[in-house]
Amino acid sequence: MKRILLGVIGLLCLCVACLRKDLSFKPGEVWPDDKGVHINAHGGGILRVGDTYYWFGEHKTEGSAGNLAQVGVHCYSSKDLYNWKDEGIALSVVPDDTTSHIVKGCVLERPKVIYNKKNDQYVMWFHLEPRGAGYSGALSGVAVSKNVAGPYSFVNAFRPNAGFWPVNVQELHKQPCTFSADLRFSGGELPAHPDSLNLLGRDQISGQMARDMNLFVDDDGIAYHIYSSEENSTLHISQLTDDYTSYSGKYARFFPGRFMEAPALFKQKGKYYLIMSGCTGWAPNAGRSAVASSIWGPWKELENPFRGENSEVSFYSQSTYVLPVPGHADRFIYMGDRWTPENAIDGRYIWLPIRFEGEQPVIEWRSEWSY
Ligand code: DGJ
């Protein structure tokens, strides 16, 4: 009898937990989905379809092996951004086929999804590293689906813009590359300005490197891929083809030698903004920000957008996306990851409001807030 009573009480508690609606963001805390499980969508981004938001991110698993792609890209949906329903795995890695680009154990990071009106197709891009090759591949992966939550079919993985020069190429890039194989880049500052090493020229024929990335669709429907290139030293912005599944060949490079990672691009009052990080692996660092009147530049670097205590480590987070606040054209949400590489699945989400001081985006800490 006592066991039955305890069982009923347990069931009731579970029901209450499931019915409980969150009405605020609590940055850094465990964020339960509709099943009470911490949301598993790291390095993610959001796509709004009608009145529903879809959050796509890396599904991480326990331990440090969980930083590799053991499962794939997880999708959640929400009407209010606080409460998220588990929609399952949108793109699965392939368990045993070592010939597959997305074999289990590869690195599949920072997935983002955009919608292509012309083909009525959802297009997912992600940073892909072949299994066992560390971060040397620097490929972009593409997958498509007719349904927003998937399943997505893998299309291709490649390096950007093989054979093309950027629109702002300089004469020095057409000179021989002086990159020496023993000069390794593990983040931080380069011993020499990368333009003198000509990493761009080195990769002109095989295609440029693409690691941390984001997507942005402008008001005219043109889509862009924004990514850390040239051994992470320089940011590239590439225009995609009309179907959003490849590169058009038009691209530009910005912030040479600034080692920006985690780019998140958004537009406010006709101006383009970037929030980014420095380049220190999984460890947090001071944020970066920039503004431009055209996506093709010139981009002006602004200040660290984070303010107050722990701003020098971006409140222990790294940018992944900037989301316009529903119903407010001028308000935005910073989405960041608080990585826990020793137990990848426990990574937390730091979502905070962005306000503007003139053209400077500003992000302040709040332990709980609502939009
Ligand atoms: C920082 C990047 O932003 C992450 O996406 C990931 O690639 C880690 N580096 C790996 O060290």
Side-chain angles (χ1 to χ4, degrees):
M1 186 62 190
K2 195 173 160 198
R3 285 229 318 255
I4 295 175
L5 201 67
L6 282 175
V8 172
I9 292 173
L11 210 62
L12 276 174
C13 289
L14 197 69
C15 289
V16 169
C18 290
L19 287 175
R20 192 180 62 95
K21 285 258 175 216
D22 269 319
L23 297 171
S24 61
F25 299 112
K26 300 177 193 74
E29 291 193 12
V30 165
W31 194 342
D33 65 10
D34 61 322
K35 296 172 181 155
V37 178
H38 180 48
I39 291 172
N40 200 338
H42 310 267
I46 302 247
L47 178 69
R48 184 177 177 177
V49 181
D51 64 351
T52 308
Y53 294 88
Y54 291 87
W55 177 357
F56 299 87
E58 303 158 32
H59 179 106
K60 304 266 195 191
T61 55
E62 279 175 15
S64 56
N67 295 303
L68 299 175
Q70 312 290 357
V71 177
V73 176
H74 209 132
C75 176
Y76 296 83
S77 67
S78 172
K79 302 264 187 218
D80 62 8
L81 297 173
Y82 305 122
N83 300 279
W84 292 88
K85 175 172 177 266
D86 184 1
E87 297 281 355
I89 301 302
L91 174 71
S92 300
V93 295
V94 180
D96 299 315
D97 179 2
T98 49
T99 63
S100 167
H101 272 104
I102 55 167
V103 64
K104 183 176 174 185
C106 65
V107 169
L108 196 166
E109 291 180 342
R110 299 185 175 272
K112 306 287 179 298
V113 174
I114 51 180
Y115 174 64
N116 185 270
K117 270 190 206 147
K118 286 189 182 141
N119 294 344
D120 184 25
Q121 184 163 257
Y122 296 92
V123 187
M124 178 189 289
W125 283 67
F126 46 90
H127 166 205
L128 181 72
E129 297 290 348
R131 183 163 87 182
Y135 279 83
S136 59
L139 305 175
S140 300
V142 179
V144 295
S145 176
K146 284 285 175 191
N147 304 307
V148 58
Y152 283 75
S153 311
F154 177 73
V155 176
N156 206 356
F158 39 67
R159 280 215 176 169
N161 300 310
F164 290 89
W165 290 112
V167 291
N168 55 355
V169 65
Q170 296 166 52
E171 215 30 59
L172 64 92
H173 296 130
K174 297 188 177 165
Q175 306 306 313
C177 169
T178 56
F179 177 76
S180 133
D182 17 310
L183 186 57
R184 292 266 53 100
F185 297 91
S186 52
E189 300 303 317
L190 257 184
H193 192 281
D195 267 359
S196 64
L197 302 172
N198 194 13
L199 303 170
L200 183 84
R202 180 196 66 180
D203 294 337
Q204 198 263 347
I205 291 172
S206 57
Q208 300 296 326
M209 301 178 89
R211 290 194 183 124
D212 277 13
M213 56 141 278
N214 228 308
L215 297 176
F216 176 75
V217 182
D218 211 338
D219 306 327
D220 56 7
I222 296 180
Y224 300 88
H225 187 218
I226 303 110
Y227 49 93
S228 308
S229 192
E230 303 180 37
E231 305 282 354
N232 285 345
S233 69
T234 301
L235 191 83
H236 286 196
I237 299 184
S238 284
Q239 185 173 322
L240 300 185
T241 49
D242 284 354
D243 66 1
Y244 299 170
T245 64
S246 194
Y247 294 99
S248 68
K250 181 176 181 186
Y251 72 110
R253 57 196 296 274
F254 301 104
F255 316 110
R258 287 292 291 140
F259 283 86
M260 311 275 208
E261 282 195 315
L265 198 149
F266 62 107
K267 194 174 182 183
Q268 193 237 25
K269 294 186 181 159
K271 284 195 176 173
Y272 299 84
Y273 290 88
L274 272 163
I275 296 207
M276 300 158 285
S277 72
C279 182
T280 51
W282 297 113
N285 52 56
R288 314 266 180 94
S289 64
V291 63
S293 296
S294 157
I295 201 160
W296 296 114
W299 280 90
K300 179 171 84 170
E301 194 172 340
L302 303 168
E303 294 171 6
N304 176 359
F306 297 91
R307 291 279 173 84
E309 200 183 344
N310 297 322
S311 58
E312 72 289 358
V313 283
S314 308
F315 307 136
Y316 297 97
S317 77
Q318 187 182 29
S319 40
T320 185
Y321 199 73
V322 170
L323 177 70
V325 170
H328 298 272
D330 284 353
R331 290 164 64 187
F332 297 86
I333 298 174
Y334 162 83
M335 292 170 52
D337 291 285
R338 183 172 285 174
W339 304 112
T340 51
E342 62 295 342
N343 186 22
I345 196 172
D346 193 34
R348 304 293 170 88
Y349 309 101
I350 307 298
W351 288 25
L352 290 165
I354 298 177
R355 66 177 178 83
F356 283 84
E357 281 178 6
E359 60 180 10
Q360 174 65 57
V362 172
I363 304 168
E364 283 151 324
W365 179 254
R366 310 242 188 116
S367 51
E368 183 167 2
W369 67 284
S370 309
Y371 59 79

